[in-house]
Amino acid sequence: MSKIEINQLSKKFIKRNKYIEALQDITLSIQPGEFVCLLGPSGCGKTTLLRILANLEKTSTGEVKIHQTDKEKPLQSMVFQENGIIPWLTVEENVAFGLKMRHLPSAYIKERTDYYLYKVGLTNFKRLYPKELSGGMKQRVSIARAFANDPEILLMDEPFAALDEQNKFILQEELLSIWQETKKTVLFITHSIDEALLLSDRILLMSSQPGRIVKDINIEMERPRSIEKVRSDPAMTDIFLDVWEHLQNEVKQARL
């Protein structure tokens, strides 16, 4: 059974008394444990699709199903592009926040929190507040909190877009390490083709507005991967060029 099923989903917004179609006839399925990256030109509705899956937006037409296997777990957690951590809580309190909201046993909360602080390299910073952290450290807190809460699916909206290249590569590796251990189902928005090739099992390419899924690309390269291996592999280079051409064409089309 698919973990996520979307059938003929469309989404329209009203803007200045006009309907704007953000998404059109989206149909796709994502299997349990898959890491799927969503690529498309700016304004194509990627974030809107994620917000629908997070139940922050409603569909105009169509159907979305997330098959839940454990009613004790939250259905989804979302990591945003801008850091979404709570400024008046410490690093440790932020990571534990979702678990505390579920009123889980204190010993379990501490064990999960300590474990994911260790996984993202923040054990020595757990007493600090967000104002004392760098941008990369704040995103580590967001990732640790999302995984610690143990959701059925993980939704990530360009979580590394604002980071420098060095921090981005470090966090990509940390994310993959945790994902390979937990095998969470992940839907990840990015504008970076390199990032999609490094992280994903599949890349879904979207058209310019209204957003449609126009291509579904399987990434066959074995794991673990590194950015050096991705960039030097001829098959991955071909995929990179194919995706690059698609994005260029969609950007040009959007300007017509």
Side-chain angles (χ1 to χ4, degrees), residues 234-249:
M236 297 293 260
T237 300
D238 289 343
I239 296 172
F240 182 101
L241 294 173
D242 185 31
V243 174
W244 175 258
E245 183 179 8
H246 163 80
L247 293 175
Q248 291 292 96
N249 290 337

Side-chain angles (χ1 to χ4, degrees), residues 115-177:
Y115 179 73
Y116 282 102
L117 285 170
Y118 166 76
K119 290 294 288 184
V120 299
L122 290 177
T123 300
N124 293 332
F125 305 94
K126 64 182 181 180
R127 306 295 186 201
L128 299 184
Y129 287 89
K131 66 181 180 181
E132 301 172 280
L133 305 178
S134 67
M137 292 171 78
K138 290 175 184 177
Q139 285 302 76
R140 290 182 186 193
V141 175
S142 294
I143 291 167
R145 182 175 62 189
F147 276 100
N149 205 27
D150 200 17
E152 294 269 331
I153 66 171
L154 187 58
L155 307 169
M156 308 188 79
D157 189 359
E158 295 191 80
F160 309 140
L163 303 180
D164 60 77
E165 286 296 296
Q166 183 179 7
N167 268 311
K168 185 181 295 187
F169 290 145
I170 291 169
L171 282 174
Q172 286 166 348
E173 289 180 356
E174 290 176 350
L175 172 61
L176 280 178
S177 173

Side-chain angles (χ1 to χ4, degrees), residues 48-153:
T48 298
L49 181 58
L50 234 64
R51 288 177 61 83
I52 289 171
L53 287 167
N55 204 29
L56 299 174
E57 298 277 358
K58 300 297 183 185
T59 64
S60 297
T61 60
E63 184 179 41
V64 174
K65 289 183 180 178
I66 301 173
H67 294 283
Q68 192 166 14
T69 57
D70 187 345
K71 298 294 184 181
E72 298 299 315
K73 294 181 180 180
L75 193 57
Q76 73 274 316
S77 289
M78 190 162 179
V79 179
F80 298 92
Q81 178 175 344
E82 68 282 358
N83 78 82
I85 59 179
I86 302 167
W88 57 86
L89 299 182
T90 64
V91 167
E92 182 179 35
E93 290 166 339
N94 265 284
V95 174
F97 183 77
L99 299 168
K100 288 182 177 179
M101 290 299 98
R102 292 163 58 194
H103 305 291
L104 296 171
S106 297
Y108 178 80
I109 293 173
K110 178 172 174 45
E111 183 272 324
R112 295 282 297 182
T113 301
D114 287 348
Y115 179 73
Y116 282 102
L117 285 170
Y118 166 76
K119 290 294 288 184
V120 299
L122 290 177
T123 300
N124 293 332
F125 305 94
K126 64 182 181 180
R127 306 295 186 201
L128 299 184
Y129 287 89
K131 66 181 180 181
E132 301 172 280
L133 305 178
S134 67
M137 292 171 78
K138 290 175 184 177
Q139 285 302 76
R140 290 182 186 193
V141 175
S142 294
I143 291 167
R145 182 175 62 189
F147 276 100
N149 205 27
D150 200 17
E152 294 269 331
I153 66 171

